[in-house]
Amino acid sequence: QVQLVESGGGLVQAGDSLRLSCVVSGGTFSRYAMGWFRQVPGKERAFVNAISQTGRTTFYADSVKGRFTISRDNAKNTVYLQMNTLKPDDTAVYYCAAGTVADPHTQYDYWGQGTQVTVSS
């Protein structure tokens, strides 16, 4: 089975930066488009950004454009989420996901367990 494990979350101040990592095992990482999502208690899971298998195509939610960057290292089976200029509204559990197409509305096949990001004002 395919497993995804996120790491790098924590408590930071507004304006700070964090980098999340997601390591994929049990499958061929280069076959998957990868995406990041986030969820706040009581709200629906929201798309953050996504990257194609080769890294040539990316998609970003408007709320994070210019602040967040998605990247991948196929040699390390890892996708990253670099978050800069963090805001309190970015507080959420962040999940990585693997699928066939790097699209906000595509059904992703595999999900990690999430990592908490908390931004204080």
Side-chain angles (χ1 to χ4, degrees):
Q1 69 278 9
V2 178
Q3 294 181 319
L4 286 68
V5 180
E6 303 97 335
S7 63
L11 173 63
V12 299
Q13 298 266 13
D16 286 352
S17 298
L18 275 178
R19 189 178 76 159
L20 306 184
S21 299
C22 175
V23 179
V24 179
S25 62
T28 304
F29 179 70
S30 61
R31 293 176 59 189
Y32 298 115
M34 299 296 299
W36 287 97
F37 296 78
R38 63 188 183 184
Q39 187 168 28
V40 177
K43 297 184 179 179
E44 291 229 284
R45 184 176 59 204
F47 172 78
V48 176
N49 51 23
I51 189 167
S52 64
Q53 289 87 338
T54 64
R56 292 187 63 189
T57 304
T58 57
F59 298 86
Y60 287 85
D62 288 342
S63 60
V64 304
K65 285 181 180 177
R67 299 189 300 119
F68 290 12
T69 302
I70 187 170
S71 62
R72 67 189 296 158
D73 186 341
N74 285 358
K76 295 181 177 180
N77 294 343
T78 302
V79 63
Y80 303 97
L81 178 62
Q82 178 66 47
M83 303 183 292
N84 298 326
T85 319
L86 282 161
K87 306 174 181 179
D89 285 348
D90 295 319
T91 295
V93 176
Y94 283 73
Y95 299 90
C96 66
T100 58
V101 181
D103 186 285
H105 305 111
T106 298
Q107 285 192 341
Y108 288 81
D109 301 310
Y110 305 101
W111 295 83
Q113 296 183 38
T115 185
Q116 176 72 46
V117 173
T118 302
V119 185
S120 63
S121 60

